[in-house]
Amino acid sequence: MATIIAGMFDTITKAEAAVHDLREGHCRQEDISTFHNNPPGQHDTFPVGGDEDADPGAKDAHAGAAAGAAIGAGLGLAAIAAGPLAVAAAVGVGAYTGALGGALSGSGDSGNLPARRPAGVMVAVNATGVPEQSIAQILRQRGASVVEKADGEWRDGQWADFDPLAVPRLMPDESAGAR
């Protein structure tokens, strides 16, 4: 296993500048890899496309839909005084509206989702024999929005087992306290 330090850049120009500085900082060319990371959901890891079977933010939508439908139907039944035809219409409209509202309120809660790598240009460095903090510092100085540390397989100048879906282990900015 190799220790890999990687930075995410929003432009290729910033990434190339980081690579230049890393080379000047005594990193070998075969220990630096640059590649693009697609946005979450667009890594095509499934045969039909996408990254996962279902959107993690929608896992509770069915419960919200059921609760909303029950509330909506109950409100529709409360309209019984308006007559049988009005009751049937009110129950249907109330159940549909409640189900829709409940489903939407039960989806999209990103507060419990793991952090994901943003889209951008990755510069990964095999940190074997090079101080990790100096690599991280160069990446940050050149504009990396995220700097992470990983244990992985480095083969033929590439991070061979890079997993775009893995939650990155962020490196703390040790120079931030010195400012």
Side-chain angles (χ1 to χ4, degrees), residues 151-178:
D151 294 320
E153 182 180 345
W154 195 268
R155 187 175 359 131
D156 298 326
Q158 302 287 321
W159 185 356
D161 61 350
F162 173 74
D163 180 3
L165 303 180
V167 177
R169 256 182 20 211
L170 302 181
M171 284 189 72
D173 187 354
E174 293 184 2
S175 66

Side-chain angles (χ1 to χ4, degrees), residues 3-98:
T3 298
I4 299 168
I5 308 299
M8 178 68 69
F9 295 87
D10 57 356
T11 68
I12 190 70
T13 304
K14 290 179 183 177
E16 288 171 346
V19 169
H20 177 267
D21 288 358
L22 288 164
R23 295 275 324 248
E24 298 231 335
H26 309 294
C27 288
R28 301 176 313 168
Q29 182 62 42
E30 58 267 18
D31 288 332
I32 304 170
S33 175
T34 305
F35 56 95
H36 187 268
N37 185 49
N38 289 334
Q42 297 183 9
H43 296 106
D44 199 27
T45 57
F46 281 80
V48 294
D51 294 341
E52 44 210 357
D53 287 327
D55 183 348
K59 69 181 173 85
D60 295 326
H62 66 283
I71 292 169
L75 291 174
L77 287 174
I80 229 164
L85 188 55
V87 169
V91 167
V93 169
Y96 174 77
T97 305

Side-chain angles (χ1 to χ4, degrees), residues 102-162:
L104 292 175
S105 70
S107 66
D109 180 16
S110 61
N112 297 328
L113 296 178
R116 301 203 179 192
R117 283 186 182 92
V121 181
M122 294 280 294
V123 174
V125 180
N126 179 358
T128 305
V130 182
E132 296 171 9
Q133 283 302 324
S134 66
I135 295 170
Q137 182 180 7
I138 290 170
L139 294 171
R140 284 189 180 98
Q141 286 174 343
R142 283 303 185 169
S145 58
V146 174
V147 177
E148 65 179 277
K149 179 179 180 177
D151 294 320
E153 182 180 345
W154 195 268
R155 187 175 359 131
D156 298 326
Q158 302 287 321
W159 185 356
D161 61 350
F162 173 74

